[in-house]
């Protein structure tokens, strides 16, 4: 029997909808589920830096929140990322890219991540 499996587009849409409605615990659970299924495989730690290339803003926001929680020792019921950033010492670096993959070529992740860090 064949069934439909959610893909990166499905998870991105679900994460965006849940974030918009303020359901952050569900966003976190969806992110970890998607990550464990191989979606968002480009989300990775590179020498202690969190690489957000090609992620949507809602997915990137939750990835940053989750990585910060791990670095601060906050436990999550949903789990942790492989290659956890919690073991990293020193600065926490977020790689956002220049916006080459954005619709109009302008960076959208950098301003969104700056606002996230400033607001939280």
């Amino acid at each position: 029997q064949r069934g439909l499996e959610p893909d990166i587009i499905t998870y991105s849409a679900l994460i965006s909808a849940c974030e918009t409605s303020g359901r952050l615990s569900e966003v976190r659970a969806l992110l970890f589920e998607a990550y464990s299924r191989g979606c968002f495989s480009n989300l990775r730690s590179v020498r202690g830096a969190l690489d957000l290339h090609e992620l949507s803003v809602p997915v990137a926001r939750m990835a940053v929140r989750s990585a910060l929680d791990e670095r601060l020792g906050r436990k999550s019921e949903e789990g942790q990322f492989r290659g956890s950033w919690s073991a990293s010492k020193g600065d926490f670096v977020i790689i956002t890219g220049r916006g080459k993959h954005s619709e109009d070529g302008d960076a959208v992740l950098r301003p969104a991540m700056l606002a996230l860090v400033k607001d939280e």
Side-chain angles (χ1 to χ4, degrees):
Q1 181 179 4
R2 292 179 61 171
L4 295 175
E5 290 289 325
D7 61 7
I8 194 167
I9 295 168
T10 307
Y11 279 115
S12 293
L14 286 168
I15 287 169
S16 180
C18 287
E19 185 191 53
T20 299
S21 64
R23 296 159 50 184
L24 294 184
S25 63
E26 290 179 50
V27 174
R28 185 183 303 268
L30 285 166
L31 178 64
F32 280 103
E33 179 183 321
Y35 189 74
S36 69
R37 289 176 173 234
C39 293
F40 308 125
S41 58
N42 54 327
L43 174 60
R44 61 192 177 278
S45 175
V46 178
R47 285 179 248 152
L50 182 60
D51 189 344
L52 304 176
H53 277 98
E54 300 180 25
L55 297 178
S56 67
V57 170
V59 172
R61 268 196 291 259
M62 184 47 69
V64 169
R65 285 183 181 116
S66 297
L68 285 172
D69 284 347
E70 286 185 21
R71 282 189 59 110
L72 295 172
R74 298 180 190 145
K75 299 293 181 193
S76 169
E77 292 179 17
E78 292 82 11
Q80 289 186 306
F81 292 110
R82 294 184 305 273
S84 171
W85 300 281
S86 61
S88 300
K89 301 293 182 211
D91 293 337
F92 180 64
V93 177
I94 301 169
I95 301 169
T96 59
R98 296 183 190 161
K100 285 186 353 184
H101 302 287
S102 297
E103 223 172 271
D104 56 3
D106 292 330
V108 293
L109 286 177
R110 178 177 164 76
M113 296 309 104
L114 288 171
L116 173 71
V117 172
K118 181 181 173 188
D119 293 343
E120 294 195 15

